[in-house]
């Protein structure tokens, strides 16, 4: 029900450094911090087994500087464009009378589940200089070649399309959680809708945009699939090249360490925005009345619909149409497709476990960071983001290294795979949880204490139920992200394990397009289910 | 009303409680006070005077830097002890009520009752009845009006039968009419429950009307503790005098009679002994209702302002010496602004005097 | 609109259900049963039973899954497989070190096998003798299981086979400016460059790489997108392994506008490479691993590689797929596998010339 929370105004209660956090909380967060720092330790081991000369030699190769610059440009463009797109879509879906809002609210999130290398491959087959589009227009218009989108434009577009939902979901949650009172106040003070948006709504959304953009930026720097196919040489691309060269694990590790530094810069840049710790206290205001009203779009309805349709068309309909085309072409050519149900169940089970574990694990870190701000809690907070910033292959190899040595009994088990997902996707769960927790009035928890309940009882009976929107959103994001994860799934899963992502990869890498299409489509379809569940909840709450 | 036959128990005792916030310096300084069983103590003071800090320290939501707090004779804070809030048997009504938004009225109230408590259902019914919300038991907090939420918060805090109930600005989020009505209702409920209460407010009217005892705080320190009319009529300093009601200070001189002083408005009886060292520099405190105003062409002052407040006119009069003071008068005689008037002290009871504060003179 | 979406999803699920009535799939058959419990059962080969085998495969399940399953069926051995790309699997084996659960590494290219060569046991001579000496490690650490030819894939609308130069050196000519595609991070490509250094010498190889660079080649991450680009006409020619083309022809039909050409002049551009396997030193199931290799070199398996994956069989008496040019007709250079070991030198050269970062 708090998903429908609308309020009369936000009250800022300045956080005070209060009693020390409970020991159990500190312990849980520390253990988690230790777990997620494993990959960095591995990288340090691999890097420093080489001498400093070798290291300098690797890092000062002539192309490294250019690659850093390119990665930076790509991250900046993708995060900024995703933020703009997410802001526009989020505002339309949450705040206006846009037609078919429920449909848009589901389909605009789904591109997240399409693996970047699939999205890139599909885009190439459609939009390459001599792709499908060119072939369609070749006959009537005599177009020989359409402009190449290889390099920065293609990589940026594909990465925007597969990562903007991170920002969209956080922005939507923030819009839902914050009331319209401030916006209405601004209108009554003589400010037009645009000025109100830029001077009131936007500043309110800054923390949400920042936490979404952090995920987008980290996803972008750690992506290999899109940049390799679209030929834009970034840092992660360089790291992968070292691994594909077989001999150069040291160089890969050294470059990854640089990437960690890069990620810390991004992290600091985005967290400066919500550095000012303030509790955005949401009042549970009356339903109905003016607060439920939405901005009428009027004649802007058509451009708004066009934006939603275009985004969905490009990010979801085109990829799915091409996949369907492959599938139908393969089936009609008599190709045998093979059963994918087992793979689908595996995908759902491991992604579901990953979502559950990641949310549970993220709770202590987030509670510590929000309720007990300080050096220790922000250090753990920061470390937790490393996994998402590093290429999946690096994390996977780090866990291969530690797993096979330290816990051979758990190595290559489901538990190990879920642990890998935890290390990779912890920050994905943390973002929505943090936003949710910031909206829970600390007084409500204190009220529980004064009514005779132990801190853990208060946490489970008060805090957890109030965090439900964040828990669901965080879990959904982890689920969607884990559905398409590849390197850790391949290397750390049990022997003989196969899921939709590995099947899509196995088939597409050897040009079995029809065989790749079926699991790829199922990936999207299965991912739509948790989204509909989330949206369904919202609907009943509104009714 | 409860009648207490045995000697009253001391339910709350604070000694030297200090909690300072850095860098603002706000907080409570060396606060000591006691509350007897069944009493309602109103802790009143301007915003930021440290009253909420003190309340939170009593509840165990803050740990003070210094001082001890005892509840019903047991130390809960200080002397190396810090009892967690859930074990203090202290109820708390928060300023914004802090109702659990995901629970119904009934579940909110039931929250603090142990699951296996005998007569649990009965107790809930009782409380719903007490706060007159039986027909709202299945509503959620966001479906309630402000006053209803306030009463849910009260019932919830009362449910576990705490030894002390702490209320933080319980009426500040309500409109004035509702607030006034609820104050009476709540006072009734509290007395009926026979519970010991400390409530914090910045509204002196609420404090005066609800408190059996009031404690006035300023800048982290307790200024005066006493029954309301004593505090109102015999404030110990200018701050208390001015905070508890409209008050003007008129220069006064001693007369031959020890208990009387002379002012521009005539002679007045002074409460208690004159606790002023340099008797040449003292002010007499007068409240608007202590003065009588009448049109008089000669008079001793001139009307400079008039506010219509329903039952009365509230006049501002500039005396010939330049001192401005206020007087209340009924509708019977309306005096225009600018008219000369005669102002007289007609208090009928002794008035307090204070040493003149040089900083206060304009 | 909402209902429309639900309807759409229903239709897709239906398609999925219909699509599933094909051949059973090794992943799926084992997957559901393995979901709840982790595979931690101790891998102790019982004295009587056929025992177990853990295969790390750098070759795709789409290609080798069926034949591995045939091996399991034929021998009764309980085979478990981990699939990944050859380089990822090689890195995994190196990270696992002595703790590796793997018994055998089935790799896509000699570079991957060479990377973990130090961890392989020496294979018995009778096994090694199945294939010609140039298709196995000189130290007997690994052995080729199927062959693939380096070819030029060309777009049939823009290039006719007659226009192609007789050997790779011809592509440095400015007439090929902007028309070439290559995957320089690919293992087979790097093996080809190593062969160039052996055959042509360091200087000429460097000159060739610089010459191609001067023609602004399009860089692809792998063979598959290179062949796709040739088919789409994005590039006119690409330097790839031969068998990817046949997958595209199977998917897209004869209309796919690309074909392979074997360079008539021979040289490194026409060399034959192998996919192969090595047995890990100290593997729990080394006997079964040897059985695996012997099975893959059996007529049945070699027939499978020829028929289903369009590869070249490495043993006598198995017919080459009729779509392929017979090995005898390819002017392949004589390259000693022992000389292809210097991958590091090749990578240095590729970095020096700016082909790799």
């Amino acid at each position: 029900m708090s998903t429908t929370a609308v309020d009369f105004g936000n009250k800022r209660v300045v956080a005070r450094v209060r009693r020390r956090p409970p020991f159990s909380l500190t312990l849980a967060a520390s253990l988690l911090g230790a777990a997620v720092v494993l990959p960095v330790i591995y990288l340090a081991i691999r890097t420093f087994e080489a001498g400093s000369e070798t290291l300098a030699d690797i890092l000062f190769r002539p192309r490294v500087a250019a690659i850093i610059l390119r990665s930076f440009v790509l991250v900046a463009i993708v995060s900024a464009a995703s933020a703009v797109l997410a802001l526009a879509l989020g505002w339309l879906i949450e705040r206006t009378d846009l037609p078919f809002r429920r449909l848009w609210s589901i389909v605009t999130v789904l591109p997240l589940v399409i693996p970047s290398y699939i999205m890139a491959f599909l885009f190439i087959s459609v939009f390459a200089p001599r792709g499908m589009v060119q072939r369609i227009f070749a006959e009537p218009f005599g177009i020989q070649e359409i402009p190449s989108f290889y390099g920065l434009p293609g990589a940026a577009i594909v990465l925007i399309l597969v990562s903007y939902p991170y920002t969209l979901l956080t922005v939507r949650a923030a819009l839902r959680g914050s009331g319209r009172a401030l916006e209405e106040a601004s209108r009554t003070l003589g400010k037009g809708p645009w000025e109100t948006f830029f001077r009131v709504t936007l500043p309110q959304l800054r923390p949400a945009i920042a936490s979404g953009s952090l995920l987008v930026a980290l996803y972008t720097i750690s992506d290999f699939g899109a940049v390799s196919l679209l030929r834009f040489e970034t840092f992660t691309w360089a790291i992968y090249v070292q691994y594909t060269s077989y001999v150069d694990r040291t160089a890969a590790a050294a470059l990854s360490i640089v990437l960690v530094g890069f990620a810390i810069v991004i992290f600091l840049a985005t967290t400066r925005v919500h550095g000012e710790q303030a509790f955005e206290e949401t009042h549970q205001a009356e339903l109905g009345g003016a607060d439920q009203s939405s901005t009428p779009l009027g004649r802007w309805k058509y451009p708004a619909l066009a934006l939603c349709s275009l985004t969905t068309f490009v990010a979801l309909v085109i990829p799915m149409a091409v996949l369907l085309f492959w599938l139908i072409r393969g089936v009609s050519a008599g190709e045998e497709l093979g059963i994918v149900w087992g793979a689908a169940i595996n995908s759902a089970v491991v992604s579901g476990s990953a979502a559950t574990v990641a949310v549970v694990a993220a709770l202590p870190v987030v509670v510590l960071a929000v309720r007990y701000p300080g050096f220790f809690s922000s250090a753990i907070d920061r470390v937790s983001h490393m996994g998402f910033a590093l290429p999946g292959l690096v994390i996977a190899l780090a866990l291969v290294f530690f797993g096979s040595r330290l816990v051979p009994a758990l190595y290559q088990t489901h538990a190990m795979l879920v642990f890998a997902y935890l290390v990779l996707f912890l920050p994905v769960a943390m973002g929505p949880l943090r936003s949710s927790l910031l909206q829970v009035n600390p007084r409500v928890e204190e009220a529980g204490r004064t009514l005779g309940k132990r801190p853990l009882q208060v946490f489970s009976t008060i805090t957890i139920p109030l965090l439900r929107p964040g828990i669901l959103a965080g879990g959904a994001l982890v689920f969607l992200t884990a559905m398409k994860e590849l390197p850790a799934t391949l290397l750390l899963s049990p022997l003989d394990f196969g899921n939709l992502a590995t099947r899509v990869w196995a088939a597409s890498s050897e040009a079995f397009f029809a065989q790749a299409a079926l699991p790829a489509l199922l990936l999207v379809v299965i991912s739509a289910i948790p989204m509909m569940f989330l949206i369904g909840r919202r609907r009943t709450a509104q009714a | 009303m409860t009648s207490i036959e045995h000697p009253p128990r001391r339910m709350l005792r604070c000694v030297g409680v200090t909690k300072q916030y850095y860098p603002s310096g706000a907080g409570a300084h060396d606060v000591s006070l006691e509350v007897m069983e069944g009493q309602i103590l109103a802790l009143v003071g301007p915003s930021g005077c440290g009253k909420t800090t003190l309340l939170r320290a009593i509840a165990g939501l803050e740990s003070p830097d210094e001082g001890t707090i005892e509840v019903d004779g047991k130390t809960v804070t200080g002397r190396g002890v810090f009892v967690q809030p859930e074990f203090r048997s202290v109820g708390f009504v928060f300023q914004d009520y802090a109702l659990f938004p995901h629970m119904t009225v009934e579940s909110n109230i039931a929250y603090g009752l142990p699951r296996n408590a005998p007569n649990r259902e009965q107790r809930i019914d009782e409380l719903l009845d007490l706060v007159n919300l039986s027909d709202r038991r299945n509503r959620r907090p966001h479906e309630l009006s402000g006053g209803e939420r306030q009463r849910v918060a009260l019932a919830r805090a009362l449910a576990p039968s705490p030894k002390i109930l702490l209320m933080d600005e319980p009426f500040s989020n309500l409109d004035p009419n509702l607030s006034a009505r609820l104050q009476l209702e709540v006072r009734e409920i509290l007395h009926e429950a026979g519970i010991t209460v400390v409530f914090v407010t910045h509204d002196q009217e609420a404090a005066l009307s609800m408190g059996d005892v009031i404690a006035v705080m300023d800048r982290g320190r307790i200024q005066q503790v006493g029954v309301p009319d004593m505090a109102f009529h015999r404030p110990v300093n200018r701050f208390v005098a001015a905070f508890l009601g409209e008050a003007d200070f008129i220069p006064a001189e001693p007369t031959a009679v020890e208990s009387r002083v002379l002012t521009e408005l005539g002679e007045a009886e002074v409460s208690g002994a004159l606790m002023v060292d340099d008797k040449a520099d003292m002010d007499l405190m007068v409240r608007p209702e202590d003065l009588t105003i009448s049109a008089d062409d000669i008079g001793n002052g001139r009307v400079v302002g008039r506010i219509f407040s329903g039952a009365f006119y509230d006049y501002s009069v500039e005396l010939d010496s330049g001192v401005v003071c206020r007087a209340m008068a009924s509708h019977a005689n309306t005096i225009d602004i600018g008219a000369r008037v005669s102002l007289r002290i007609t208090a009928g009871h002794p008035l307090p005097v204070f040493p003149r504060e040089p900083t206060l003179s304009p | 609109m909402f209902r429309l979406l639900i309807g759409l999803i229903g239709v897709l699920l239906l398609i999925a259900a219909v699509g599933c009535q094909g051949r059973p799939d090794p992943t799926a058959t084992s997957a559901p049963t393995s979901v709840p419990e982790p595979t931690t059962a101790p891998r102790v080969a019982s004295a009587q039973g056929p025992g177990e085998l853990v295969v790390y495969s750098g070759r795709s399940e789409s290609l080798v899954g069926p034949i591995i399953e045939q091996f399991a069926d034929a021998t009764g051995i309980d085979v478990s497989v981990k699939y990944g790309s050859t380089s990822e699997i090689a890195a995994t084996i190196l990270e696992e070190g002595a703790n590796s659960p793997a018994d055998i590494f089935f790799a896509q290219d000699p570079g991957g096998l060479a990377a973990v060569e130090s961890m392989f046991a020496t294979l018995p001579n009778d096994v090694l003798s199945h294939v010609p000496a140039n298709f196995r490690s000189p130290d007997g650490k690994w052995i080729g299981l199927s062959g693939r030819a380096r070819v030029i894939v060309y777009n049939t609308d823009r290039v006719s086979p007659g226009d192609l130069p007789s050997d790779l050196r011809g592509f440095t000519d400015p007439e090929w400016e902007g028309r070439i595609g290559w995957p320089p991070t690919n293992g087979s490509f790097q093996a080809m460059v190593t062969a160039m250094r052996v055959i042509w010498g360091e200087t000429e190889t460097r000159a060739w790489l610089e010459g191609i660079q001067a023609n602004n080649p399009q860089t692809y991450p792998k063979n598959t997108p290179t062949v796709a680009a040739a088919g789409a006409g994005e590039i006119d020619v690409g330097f790839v392994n031969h068998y990817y083309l046949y997958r595209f022809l199977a998917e897209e039909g004869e209309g796919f506008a690309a074909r392979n050409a074997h360079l008539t002049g021979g040289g490194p551009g026409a060399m034959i490479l192998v996919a192969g396997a090595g047995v890990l030193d100290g593997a729990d199931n080394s006997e079964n691993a040897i059985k695996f290799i012997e099975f893959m070199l059996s007529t049945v398996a070699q027939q499978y590689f020829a028929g289903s994956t369009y590869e070249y069989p490495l043993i006598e008496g198995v017919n080459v797929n009729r779509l392929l040019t017979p090995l005898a007709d390819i002017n392949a250079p004589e390259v000693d596998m022992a000389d292809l070991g210097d991958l590091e030198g090749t990578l240095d050269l590729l970095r020096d010339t700016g082909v790799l970062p």
Side-chain angles (χ1 to χ4, degrees), chain C residues 226-239:
Chain C
T226 315
V227 175
E234 193 174 297
I235 49 172
D236 291 358
V237 291
F239 307 150

Side-chain angles (χ1 to χ4, degrees), chain A residues 42 46 63 130 150 231 246 248 329 339 346 405 409 411-412 414 490 493 496 503 506 509 512-514, chain C residues 20 25 31 34-35 40 56 60 62 81-82 95-96 109 158 218-220 224 232-234 247 251 354:
Chain A
Y42 160 82
R46 280 281 168 265
R63 284 169 79 172
R130 293 173 149 269
Y150 283 110
R231 307 212 290 266
Y246 298 120
D248 231 351
R329 189 178 64 189
I339 294 169
N346 276 351
R405 275 169 182 73
Y411 186 57
Q412 290 183 353
H414 284 87
L490 285 172
S493 62
D496 291 329
R503 286 194 58 86
S509 66
F512 288 83
F513 297 126
Chain C
C20 289
D25 170 273
S34 69
V35 169
T40 46
Y56 274 22
S60 169
S62 311
V81 194
K82 172 164 287 299
E95 293 300 355
E96 288 170 343
D109 54 66
R158 304 173 145 234
Q218 306 281 12
T219 302
Y220 296 90
T224 312
E234 193 174 297
R247 281 299 323 150
E251 290 282 329

Side-chain angles (χ1 to χ4, degrees), chain C:
Chain C
M1 202 69 175
F2 197 72
R3 287 210 184 123
L4 190 73
L5 187 77
I6 294 172
L8 191 70
I9 288 172
V11 169
L12 283 170
L13 287 173
L14 198 70
I15 293 175
V18 171
C20 289
Q21 285 156 6
R23 87 185 129 82
D25 170 273
T27 316
T29 45
S30 57
T33 50
S34 69
V35 169
E37 90 257 54
T39 30
T40 46
R43 252 177 241 110
V44 184
S46 68
Q48 303 90 349
E52 301 175 337
L53 180 68
V54 177
V55 180
Y56 274 22
S57 174
R59 302 203 63 192
S60 169
E61 186 175 5
S62 311
L63 296 176
V64 300
I67 192 66
I68 291 178
E69 207 185 350
Q70 270 194 47
F71 166 71
D73 289 347
T75 57
I77 293 171
D78 181 6
V79 183
S80 308
V81 194
K82 172 164 287 299
Y83 290 102
S85 75
T86 294
S87 57
E88 287 170 4
I89 295 283
T92 302
I93 293 174
L94 290 173
E95 293 300 355
E96 288 170 343
N99 302 305
S100 181
D103 296 315
I104 188 168
F105 177 28
F106 192 2
Q108 174 83 352
D109 54 66
L113 293 164
V116 290
E117 202 168 51
S118 62
M119 292 177 61
F120 284 145
T122 307
L123 294 169
N125 275 328
D126 58 324
V127 174
L128 290 168
S129 64
H130 286 302
V131 303
N134 57 334
F135 293 148
R136 62 187 196 223
S137 139
D139 307 333
K141 295 288 189 184
W142 54 264
I143 185 167
L145 299 179
S146 58
R148 53 276 305 277
R150 291 297 298 176
V151 294
I152 306 302
V153 62
Y154 63 94
N155 181 281
T156 49
D157 297 337
R158 304 173 145 234
V159 180
S160 75
D163 301 338
L164 294 171
S166 67
D167 102 359
L168 279 178
R169 279 175 274 219
F171 289 104
T172 56
D173 190 292
E175 72 163 305
W176 293 101
E177 160 122 45
R179 300 168 66 189
I180 302 170
W182 64 3
T185 54
N186 173 266
S188 298
F189 176 86
Q190 290 170 358
M192 181 180 81
V193 176
T194 309
M196 281 180 182
R197 292 169 54 224
V198 173
I199 300 168
W200 292 349
E202 207 74 18
T203 320
E204 202 176 343
T205 307
R206 177 184 290 269
W208 183 80
L209 288 169
E210 282 164 354
I212 300 292
Q213 283 285 77
N215 274 341
N216 291 321
Q218 306 281 12
T219 302
Y220 296 90
K222 296 195 299 182
N223 280 318
T224 312
T226 315
V227 175
E234 193 174 297
I235 49 172
D236 291 358
V237 291
F239 307 150
V240 295
N241 285 350
H242 77 279
Y243 58 95
Y244 293 91
L245 173 70
Y246 303 99
R247 281 299 323 150
F248 279 91
L249 291 174
E251 290 282 329
E252 307 207 2
E254 291 297 308
F256 184 74
R259 290 295 182 271
N260 284 341
H262 298 272
L263 291 169
T264 53
M271 71 188 292
I272 306 295
L273 289 167
V274 290
V279 177
L280 280 109
D281 204 10
D284 293 341
N285 307 296
S286 49
E287 276 178 34
N288 284 344
I290 298 291
K291 281 185 196 158
F292 181 87
I293 289 176
E294 287 188 320
F295 180 84
M296 290 303 155
L297 289 170
S298 69
T299 315
V300 176
Q302 292 289 303
Q303 202 79 61
Y304 170 83
F305 286 128
S308 299
T309 68
Y310 309 99
E311 288 176 280
Y312 286 102
L314 296 185
I315 61 167
E316 300 291 324
V318 177
N319 289 329
V320 172
N321 193 308
R322 57 184 173 75
L323 294 172
L324 304 188
T325 311
L327 272 185
D329 298 347
I330 297 174
N331 188 6
E334 286 290 326
V335 190
D336 192 342
M337 283 293 154
D339 296 332
L340 290 186
D342 184 24
L343 181 58
E344 197 138 8
T346 299
L347 292 171
D348 283 343
L349 185 61
L350 289 172
R351 282 189 203 110
D352 255 19
T353 48
V355 178
L356 287 182

